[in-house]
Amino acid sequence: MGAEKANKEHRGIPKAVFLEDVDSFMSSTSPEKNAAAVLKDFDEQLQKYKYMELNLLQRKKRLRAQVPDIEKTLEIVKHMLKKNEEFQTHFMLSDQVHALATVPPTEKVFLWLGANVMLEYTIDEAIALLTKNLNTATVNADQLEDDLGYLSNQITTMEVNMARVYNWDFKRRKAAADK
């Protein structure tokens, strides 16, 4: 049953069924459902896929921005662990304003967690947390790439299905007009 479930959905993305035989599909639909109604249903499904794609692309963009920040912070914390001595650095006060600061040797660091939340950690705890966050972000980025590829296939399948139904309807109408 697990393989069957995986075949139907890919991390919450429903599978688009390819129409092998448009004639049998159209004859199996309810009589009041003509080609225009089927095309409308397919277009709605296609729009849902495109909306999912937009959301995934936004998440991917956020992750791409997040990973370098985590790597940079991790590098700084590791530097602090390795050089347990006073050092000078420039830090950003605002977008265009930087200040020179002298950082004394320390065993603790403060990390921004987001939503205006900052917590104090020991250097070892900070390294562990940042490493975990970096690994999680990397795995999530890989999953997003996989999801975007799968979603792209589903969008293509729906577009092909729509074209096939449209062509089927065109041929049917042409044949009816020729009679």
Side-chain angles (χ1 to χ4, degrees):
M1 177 149 172
E4 185 178 307
K5 176 75 172 162
N7 194 25
K8 284 188 165 186
E9 286 193 6
H10 181 83
R11 281 190 268 266
I13 302 170
K15 181 172 175 45
V17 178
F18 179 72
L19 296 181
E20 293 287 337
D21 185 10
V22 179
D23 286 325
S24 65
F25 175 78
M26 293 303 290
S27 64
S28 68
T29 60
S30 59
E32 65 274 356
K33 206 168 195 181
N34 59 12
V38 170
L39 285 171
K40 182 178 177 237
D41 290 346
F42 283 179
D43 188 53
E44 286 176 10
Q45 186 65 32
L46 180 63
Q47 294 311 313
K48 289 177 187 176
Y49 284 137
K50 289 193 178 202
Y51 180 74
M52 286 181 220
E53 182 181 41
L54 180 67
N55 286 334
L56 290 178
L57 286 170
Q58 288 173 345
R59 283 179 51 199
K60 180 180 171 184
K61 184 179 178 183
R62 278 193 309 269
L63 270 177
R64 278 193 175 162
Q66 191 179 35
V67 167
D69 289 342
I70 295 171
E71 288 173 338
K72 187 169 121 183
T73 305
L74 184 59
E75 180 182 324
I76 291 168
V77 173
K78 285 181 178 178
H79 176 76
M80 290 176 71
L81 179 65
K82 187 171 70 173
K83 297 215 181 222
N84 199 12
E85 58 189 40
E86 186 175 280
F87 65 94
Q88 287 191 334
T89 185
H90 289 89
F91 69 95
M92 188 169 61
L93 292 174
S94 66
D95 286 337
Q96 299 297 323
V97 180
H98 289 76
L100 181 64
T102 302
V103 180
T106 182
E107 295 296 318
K108 299 193 183 266
V109 293
F110 289 87
L111 296 178
W112 284 106
L113 299 180
N116 293 328
V117 175
M118 181 184 272
L119 288 179
E120 180 181 22
Y121 292 95
T122 65
I123 291 180
D124 292 332
E125 289 173 335
I127 289 173
L129 176 70
L130 290 168
T131 302
K132 180 182 144 250
N133 288 352
L134 182 60
N135 290 338
T136 301
T138 305
V139 167
N140 287 346
D142 292 343
Q143 286 179 345
L144 279 175
E145 282 296 325
D146 188 39
D147 289 349
L148 283 166
Y150 179 80
L151 198 52
S152 176
N153 289 340
Q154 302 317 299
I155 288 171
T156 302
T157 300
M158 289 308 297
E159 289 171 341
V160 169
N161 285 345
M162 289 175 69
R164 294 186 74 197
V165 169
Y166 180 82
N167 290 341
W168 174 87
D169 187 44
F170 179 80
K171 287 178 187 176
R172 185 184 57 85
R173 286 183 187 190
K174 186 176 182 201
D178 290 345
K179 287 184 181 180

